[in-house]
Amino acid sequence: MPAPVVQSIHRDPALFYWILFPITIVMILTGILRHYATVLLATTPKKQPLANLREQRSLLRGINLRSNSHVISPASFLARKTYMVSAYKDGAFLKDPESRGKPAANPMTDPAAMEGMMGMMKGNMAMMIPQTLIMSWINAFFAGFVIMKLPFPLTLRFKSMLQSGVATRDLDVRWVSSLSWYFLNLFGLQSVFIYVLGNENAASQMAQQMSQMNPGAGAAMFQPGQDPDKMFLSEAENLEVVEHEYILKGVEDRLLASI
């Protein structure tokens, strides 16, 4: 059986030093600059009134009770459930009970909401502008170059990802183009940024995208335009339909049966 033909490309060794290294170094330095630019552009969070914090933490308390109901006894769960459902329906946790039933205020007239939108826009600009400039720089100077070959085999599904900017149908999938090396660095330098800047850094592209996809992970439970009363009533319904199952129910019998 004849051996498979090994595809080889005679490349200038200088491509490795004048394309691969510069792209990698520029991506690392851009991430570090993005981190410090984000830190400088970030606004100091203002101290919220006690009523606002109570409103937010009360909803979070109900969510935690529903998620961790299995670790408390049935009597304790029933007491907490009765109290929380009654308080939610009566609007006891609302910061402004008099506005109950009224339409939500326009977020454009809320200074806190406008400040949050401005902060999000600053973060998007700090992420988009450097990547646009780097993409233009790579397309202008390094488009069409094949810079390295991976030492392990890959399937054809990786061809479009590893050979962006190189329109060759018969090229081995293990060859990597300069534009694809940029994308690999864009999503693969998170470990480097964690080592240089720490875990809580703003340099990683993936970390910023995840934080934008999950804005509820921050301190604010209510986003602009949301009605807290409706969220409380929804959480009350969720608590009412929870089927409680105590994790320690019959633990003595289970323990004796396992001996």
Side-chain angles (χ1 to χ4, degrees), residues 224-238:
Q226 291 182 336
D227 189 358
D229 186 41
K230 292 182 179 179
M231 298 184 68
F232 282 140
L233 294 178
S234 176
E235 186 59 32
E237 294 179 1
N238 294 335

Side-chain angles (χ1 to χ4, degrees), residues 1 48 54 58 70 100 139 170 186 208 226 229 259:
M1 182 177 179
Q48 298 188 25
R54 182 170 178 264
S58 299
H70 58 280
R100 189 180 186 186
N139 284 329
D170 300 327
L186 183 63
Q208 289 197 8
Q226 291 182 336
D229 186 41
I259 297 177

Side-chain angles (χ1 to χ4, degrees), residues 55-74:
E55 185 181 61
Q56 296 173 7
R57 298 302 181 265
S58 299
L59 180 62
L60 186 61
R61 182 182 176 187
I63 297 174
N64 291 335
L65 175 62
R66 177 164 47 88
S67 303
N68 304 295
S69 60
H70 58 280
V71 299
I72 59 178
S73 63

